[in-house]
Amino acid sequence: MQLPTRGPFLPGDPRVERPFRLTRGLGLRIAVFGGLAVVLFGVLLFRLWALQVVSGDEYLAAAQENQVRTARVDGQRGTVVDVRGKAIVENTPGTIVQLWPADVPPEEVDVVVGRLSDLLDVSAQDIYRQIDRLDGDPLTPIVVKRFVKAPKPDFILEHQADFPGVVVADTEIRDYPLGRLAAHMVGYVGEISTEELEDRDSDEYGLGDSVGKTGIERSYDRFLRGTPGLDEVRFNALGQQVRQRSLSIAATAGNRIRLTIDSDLQAAAERALREGVVNARTLDDDAWAAAGGAVVALDPRNGAIRAIASYPDFDPSIWSGTREENKIARLGDTVTNLPGLNRALSGLYPPGSVFKPVTALAALSELNATSSAPILETEELIPCTSEIEVADRIFKNWQDRDEALTLPFALAESCDTFFYDLGLRFYNLPEDRGSPLQFWARRMGFGERTGVDIGPESEGLLPTPDWRRQHYRTAVAKLWKPGNSVTLAIGQDDLLVTPLQMTRMYALLANGGKLVQPHMVAQVEQTGSDLDDPIVLRRFSPAPPREIGLDANHVRVVQQGLFDATHAEYGTSSSTFGNYPVPIAGKTGTAEKYQRLPKGYLESDHVVEGLFDQAWWCGYGPAAIEDEPTLAVCVLVENGGLGGQAAAPIALEVFAEHFGQEIPVDDVAIGNVVGQTD
Amino acid sequence: MATPEASVFAREREVGTRPFAVVAHYVFQLDLVLLAVVAGLVGYGLWVIRSVTADDIPGDAAFFLSRQSLAAGLGFAVLLALASLNPDVLRRVRLPLYGVTIVLLVLVLLTEPIRESRRWIDLGIFNFQPSEFAKLALAIVVASMLASSGADGVGWRRVGVVLAVAAPAGLLVFVEPDFGTSLVLAVVVAAALFFAGAKWRIIVSIGALAVGVALAVLWLLPTNGITVLKPYQEDRLLGFLDPASDPSGSTYNVNQSITAVGAGGLTGRGTEEASQTTGFYLPEHATDFVFSSLAEQRGFLGAGLLLLLYGLLVWRGARIVGLAPNLFQMVLAGSIVSVFLFQIVLNVGMTMGIAPVVGIPLPFFSYGGSSMLASLAMIGVLLAIHARGRLSRQAASRFG
């Protein structure tokens, strides 16, 4: 039988296999090896158990921290509605692009910033500035752009590898359904600044938060903003967003703010002001420079502001989403006459004749009580002349006149010399009487902020001998002279007021002598609650109108003068209000103000300097004895010329909207009023 | 002593002469437990590679899996071939085998460096890593030399010759640089000396010298808070030894790895939630740090199962050392099983922060075709040694 040959594969030939027996020594070595293996596997298993089972939770937390970034997210901001619930500020969905700089590999920062800058049309410098501001904080993103339009977010998501550290998320931005309406009051929302952050409670505010910057958005931020939530975003080691963000702490929505503003009245005031300012230029050659103005309408019973307009205005959406920096810059441009300036609160103007009721009330209070000066009563006649001479200076009336008048009559026809006389009497009071005219003016709210609930607000300037001493440098200028008292009496001199201060004064006249607290927010309401029957979280009840010590009879005297001013034949705005079905009382004013108008202002080709007439009209209605006035209105037209021509018709439009009574046709033609001035 | 005739007749009586019966009988002489363990390891490894690399190549979740599967398939073919081959044949071809190995190790130094080291020869479809195959070749050469040492055992002189023969392979790998694999080659030689019966004082002298210096400087003292070297010196030393293992900060990798292992907890975070792996925090999560990924995704249960399989592998390997039919095969088996034990302990220990960071692949798990092929080839040799040992013992007990 053929034996299988001895081959390399498969069964070997047992004949040549020399049985191999382990020596004891080699056996021991295998045992040693086995023992070593047992020990080593034991160590590995122990270590594995220690890491995973004993300390697993800690490492799990570390692993999660590795990839999770937590970011604050703003709560849905509350809306702002008018007194009847009509929305003025709402929200609209948008897309936000954020960058977590800590998740961008250092060598790629420039590339990523460059790509974002190109794609989103944001300046690279701006991005770097924000990165610097973070100061290496890895847990806070920067906002590259707040409102990104499709399809750019999709592009970023599809090219995540090119955008490490970049996150695309949903957001909401402010929306203004009524457009420019009340733009100055509403204010805007922006990212919190470093300074703002330092001023505020760090528990409530954090880097990257949106906060109200001006207006209602600022003053009522804590009600509007809600509570920020925390968002978790997961990244991988390459800085790419792993998945959609998930809320770890849900943000709560802010509350709704209801204003005292009536959006219909506001719209009417804005329209009347806009048209009135433009119209003013056609009425009077001297009023060519009319390019701004303000209207304030408030309820004299409680100080609630019903309408507050400032012209020129702007579209508040320039701050919403992507800030339109060039348009924002133009808001502070003198060539376009500072559209960002809220003239109603911050504009400072000499009041002129609309101040005369202040002088009248002060005179009735002060010049009555002293024996050293003649008693001023309604029966007393004071000469109204064409001019008077005081301390070698001639002070002129606005018209040729030579007749002794009662106070109401003098108010109605706005006789300057009559009030010069009163001013001189104030000047001639003994030193120990102080400055009673200024004292009463201050009591009526001049020279200090009204404390209206939104800002910024100017305090104006109420000149006193003390102020003059401190403010002027030369010895002569420091001196309070008779001329100062004389001109102050007709609302000139250094006196500066805001339209809101002036309106508050006329509210006082309307309500019989009580100073009101102007305010424009009525209450905070639960977001989403019924607009007609809201859940009120907080009602703002400002200080009730307060007596300032005026004699009711004195007020009535002035009221009579104001009614005559709009109804008597000699009244300065009778042509405007005389035929209006609702009785309106009010006063015109034409005040000189030094202006320096830049080149380009209303397309002028050179700088213009000089005195320009500021047109005023202030009043209230209904002004019949049996009625309680429901609206006090002041209108100012910058450089508008005569108050009776430029300002009064604007006020009438506001009253017409308020009372729902149309203006009789023959009163509409503004230009046909001749000879009715100051 | 049995006569040759008797043994042949005995076999024919027992098995028959039909080829199928012969093959079947041989198959049952293989260590089927070891084969099953290795098949389990390879299958487990492919499953893990699939889940840890699913996100690596966007749009091609199976990129690494398909390549690793191909290597595994090839590897099993090599395993079967070597399992059926008489290991003594390897002894006869040791010189050409070692010669080819040295040539390849020289050639690899002429290639363009990949991540600052020259380890791979580009074969088009995959990169061939000669150092992986040098392990088996060196084991065969060294075992051959030590098995023919004669009656007086392995003395200093023999040790010197063995070290001189092994040195070129070790140095060539070291200068690639591939510190990890050169350590493995050292283990091949050390294990061979150990199992060949080198005198204890020789073993102890060499072992104490090498292990003592390495562990003291790089591991024991630093991990216990005693820094022999300044941190940057230690970093440089490790960086010099194996720059590719630690590309971005010397502690980053280990910290991320420990975090990944720990985060796995008892039952693991699953493939989706395993953020250390899917978020690329864990470097080399398919190669050197694949154990960390497994531990993160499958937890203590999954990682413990792997250690259990490795334990079985080492146990079966150690058993084969004792079963070997001759000294050459015994020493060879000893070297191979030592290599497995070393690679497993060093790699797993490294991922858990209790061994220095040295780039050594985890057998059957780390992504890499050469490692897979070499590991399966060594298992094939072990299976063959087992079969020869069994046959030899059967013959001895039957006729002895």
Side-chain angles (χ1 to χ4, degrees), chain B residues 44 48-49 99 151 163 165 203 215 223 282 323 354 366:
Chain B
Y44 195 13
V48 169
I49 284 289
L163 289 179
V165 170
I203 303 282
L215 294 193
T223 53
L282 193 59
L323 276 175
I354 54 171
S366 289

Side-chain angles (χ1 to χ4, degrees), chain A residues 149-424:
Chain A
K149 296 188 185 78
K152 286 174 179 175
D154 294 334
F155 181 85
I156 291 175
L157 291 174
E158 282 160 17
H159 298 79
Q160 267 277 289
D162 293 336
F163 292 96
V166 177
V167 170
V168 172
D170 295 332
T171 187
E172 289 197 315
I173 61 162
R174 286 311 224 185
D175 187 39
Y176 304 93
L178 301 179
R180 294 167 172 245
L181 187 101
H184 290 96
M185 298 299 133
V186 161
Y188 69 96
V189 177
E191 197 175 323
I192 194 165
S193 71
T194 315
E195 297 77 33
E196 286 170 324
L197 201 54
E198 281 167 6
D199 290 347
R200 293 176 197 222
D201 187 348
S202 58
D203 288 343
E204 287 181 36
Y205 291 87
L207 209 60
D209 282 7
S210 291
V211 292
K213 293 286 192 178
T214 60
I216 292 159
E217 297 276 21
R218 180 187 171 94
S219 299
Y220 292 87
D221 191 59
R222 63 203 175 102
F223 300 105
L224 287 168
R225 74 192 305 252
T227 315
L230 285 179
D231 228 6
E232 283 186 351
V233 185
R234 286 163 177 244
F235 281 106
N236 65 23
L238 311 178
Q240 296 161 352
Q241 191 180 354
V242 173
R243 68 184 83 170
Q244 276 301 309
R245 48 173 56 191
S246 58
L247 280 177
S248 61
I249 299 175
T252 53
N255 297 311
R256 185 169 67 213
I257 295 281
R258 187 181 293 250
L259 304 180
T260 59
I261 297 274
D262 174 341
S263 58
D264 291 340
L265 191 66
Q266 176 75 22
E270 290 182 11
R271 187 181 55 245
L273 177 63
R274 183 168 56 246
E275 290 170 359
V277 167
V278 175
N279 196 39
R281 293 176 213 150
T282 66
L283 299 176
D284 185 347
D285 286 346
D286 290 338
W288 68 269
V295 173
V296 181
L298 57 78
D299 188 331
R301 293 165 298 184
N302 54 25
I305 296 173
R306 297 294 176 210
I308 184 160
S310 179
Y311 180 85
D313 61 4
F314 56 87
D315 182 351
S317 69
I318 56 179
W319 278 285
S320 189
T322 302
R323 290 164 58 97
E324 297 176 55
E325 296 293 351
N326 53 342
K327 289 187 183 170
I328 291 170
R330 233 173 286 154
L331 298 183
D333 195 339
T334 51
V335 171
T336 51
N337 202 17
L338 305 171
L341 175 67
N342 185 354
R343 289 168 160 76
L345 268 57
S346 304
L348 288 173
Y349 308 92
S353 296
V354 286
F355 190 74
K356 282 174 182 165
V358 178
T359 308
L361 285 172
L364 286 168
S365 300
E366 296 290 334
L367 303 181
N368 264 346
T370 172
S371 55
S372 65
I375 292 170
L376 180 76
E377 286 291 0
T378 49
E379 293 80 19
E380 187 196 339
L381 301 179
I382 293 176
C384 175
T385 53
S386 297
E387 57 181 50
I388 65 170
E389 187 182 327
V390 178
D392 299 332
R393 273 185 69 192
I394 303 291
F395 294 89
K396 291 195 170 194
N397 189 13
W398 64 275
Q399 60 179 353
D400 283 339
R401 203 80 167 89
D402 190 12
E403 190 182 349
L405 302 178
T406 61
L407 177 58
F409 203 111
L411 276 171
E413 74 156 65
S414 200
C415 177
D416 292 330
T417 42
F418 182 100
F419 284 90
Y420 293 147
D421 188 284
L422 294 183
L424 192 59

Side-chain angles (χ1 to χ4, degrees), chain A residues 577-594:
Chain A
F577 296 98
N579 293 335
Y580 190 65
V582 180
I584 304 292
K587 180 82 196 74
T588 55
T590 303
E592 288 180 331
K593 184 185 184 187
Y594 175 81

Side-chain angles (χ1 to χ4, degrees), chain B residues 49-131:
Chain B
I49 284 289
R50 190 185 116 250
S51 59
V52 305
T53 61
D55 299 328
D56 288 8
I57 308 284
D60 191 358
F63 181 89
F64 290 98
L65 176 67
S66 55
R67 281 157 181 76
Q68 187 78 338
S69 302
L70 185 68
L74 277 172
F76 269 102
V78 172
L79 177 144
L80 290 178
L82 286 171
S84 55
L85 181 73
N86 187 342
D88 288 334
V89 175
L90 297 172
R91 187 177 184 179
R92 275 184 260 133
V93 299
R94 64 184 182 275
L95 290 179
L97 200 62
Y98 194 56
V100 168
T101 300
I102 294 294
V103 169
L104 288 173
L105 288 176
V106 172
L107 282 178
V108 85
L109 293 179
L110 306 177
T111 61
E112 282 297 308
I114 298 172
R115 289 199 300 175
E116 295 174 46
S117 61
R118 299 176 171 85
R119 295 183 186 181
W120 297 275
I121 295 173
D122 190 354
L123 293 185
I125 48 163
F126 76 107
N127 285 337
F128 173 73
Q129 193 178 346
S131 59

